[in-house]
Amino acid sequence: MDQRHKARLFKELHRRSGAFLMPNAWDAGSARLLSSLGFPAIATTSAGIAFSLGLPDYAGAVSREAMLERVGQIAAAVDLPVSADLEAGYGVEPEQVGETIRQAIAVGAVGGNIEDFTGEPSAPLFDLALAAERIRAAREAADAAGLPFTLTARTDCYLARVDNPFAAAVERANRYREAGADCLFVPGVSDPDVIAALVKEIDGPLTVVMGLSGSALSVSQLAALGVRRITIGGSLARATYGLIRQAAVEMKEQGSFSFADRQIPDGELCRFFAAFPPI
């Protein structure tokens, strides 16, 4: 599929009834493994990419250039729509956010998240007026590219623990929708009653993230609540690093190698990856 066709398919997923699960990859290998299992689209995870580069998941730890290089590798590795985790847009000003969208499209993404988290403890979220302008600039950049790009606006009201996070999330999400966002993302929510209320009050498709501590809801339960899109953020990458640490501790402290019982055999992996064209 060419990029335009992938973009149309991805946009259509947000217009259908029911929920779809979009897992998050951090490199070409994880993307290809996920793509082989029947998911309709995949996303990138900025946290997983940062960890794979030996860096923390902090704003600014990974440059826009490095992040988009990896996004491009993931998009080129699979024949599925790829939505990019673009953090806060790699700049404060709306023009910088617009440039990030242009570059994400250039490397093959057909969707992307822009968040309102600043990384500053004293003011964790961008001023609402500025945050809306940043989404508007992202929308204008995507439209100028001539691609039906799916723009997701993420608000971190719950993760930043602002006062009255529900009201703040609803207000911000609806302002971002007015500014041109196709989908609204409110991470950090796991209570089903709160999720149902967000679906009711937010004027647009809602994305939630599962795989965080305390997030025990299933895809069918989330669909029944009215959620449109489900991601897993960096949780799969963190689980992978959890296995590495467990294996390392076992080898160091016990001198044993039971972790190898859960590996995919070398021959199977070689046959699997050989079926894909070179990137």
Side-chain angles (χ1 to χ4, degrees):
M1 292 185 288
D2 64 19
Q3 188 179 12
R4 183 172 298 279
H5 185 50
K6 291 178 183 179
R8 291 196 192 102
L9 289 177
F10 191 53
K11 183 84 77 173
E12 182 60 29
L13 287 172
H14 296 78
R15 294 172 176 165
R16 299 174 184 171
S17 61
F20 70 95
L21 174 59
M22 181 177 69
N24 303 67
W26 58 94
D27 60 13
S30 60
R32 286 182 162 175
L33 191 56
L34 290 170
S35 75
S36 72
L37 295 171
F39 296 104
I42 61 173
T44 68
T45 160
S46 60
I49 291 172
F51 300 149
S52 74
L53 294 170
L55 296 170
D57 181 28
Y58 295 157
V62 180
S63 68
R64 178 168 64 186
E65 180 182 18
M67 186 64 71
L68 289 177
E69 180 181 7
R70 185 63 66 83
V71 170
Q73 292 168 357
I74 291 170
V78 297
D79 199 23
L80 283 179
V82 172
S83 184
D85 180 351
L86 300 172
E87 300 188 287
Y90 301 96
V92 172
E93 298 304 319
E95 295 79 9
Q96 295 171 305
V97 177
E99 179 59 25
T100 295
I101 295 295
R102 283 188 286 272
Q103 292 189 28
I105 292 172
V107 300
V110 300
N113 299 352
I114 297 293
E115 63 193 48
D116 57 11
F117 183 66
T118 66
E120 298 292 335
S122 60
L125 302 182
F126 286 108
D127 173 80
L128 179 53
L130 174 59
E133 283 302 313
R134 285 159 44 84
I135 296 301
R136 185 169 289 107
R139 178 78 274 156
E140 291 172 355
D143 291 346
L147 190 78
F149 186 87
T150 299
L151 175 62
T152 298
R154 166 177 156 168
T155 181
D156 281 23
C157 296
Y158 281 90
L159 296 180
R161 299 182 180 179
V162 302
D163 293 336
N164 196 350
F166 179 83
V170 168
E171 181 183 17
R172 283 177 172 266
N174 285 331
R175 283 286 295 275
Y176 302 159
R177 177 68 163 172
E178 292 171 3
D182 298 293
C183 188
L184 298 314
F185 183 15
V186 183
V189 183
S190 59
D191 184 289
D193 292 335
V194 175
I195 292 172
L198 287 170
V199 169
K200 180 180 178 181
E201 297 296 330
I202 291 175
D203 184 25
L206 180 67
T207 293
V208 297
V209 59
M210 291 289 109
L212 304 178
S213 178
S215 299
L217 297 173
S218 67
V219 171
S220 61
Q221 288 173 316
L222 290 166
L225 293 172
V227 170
R228 184 62 50 80
R229 190 174 87 185
I230 306 158
T231 70
I232 58 169
S235 61
L236 184 58
R238 289 191 295 271
T240 300
Y241 280 93
L243 174 60
I244 293 171
R245 184 167 67 181
Q246 290 173 358
V249 169
E250 178 191 354
M251 289 185 288
K252 181 69 170 63
E253 296 185 356
Q254 301 176 30
S256 58
F257 308 93
S258 67
F259 71 88
D261 296 339
R262 289 169 284 172
Q263 67 181 300
I264 300 174
D266 182 84
E268 182 179 341
L269 279 176
C270 287
R271 288 189 298 274
F272 173 78
F273 287 123
F276 291 90
I279 298 174

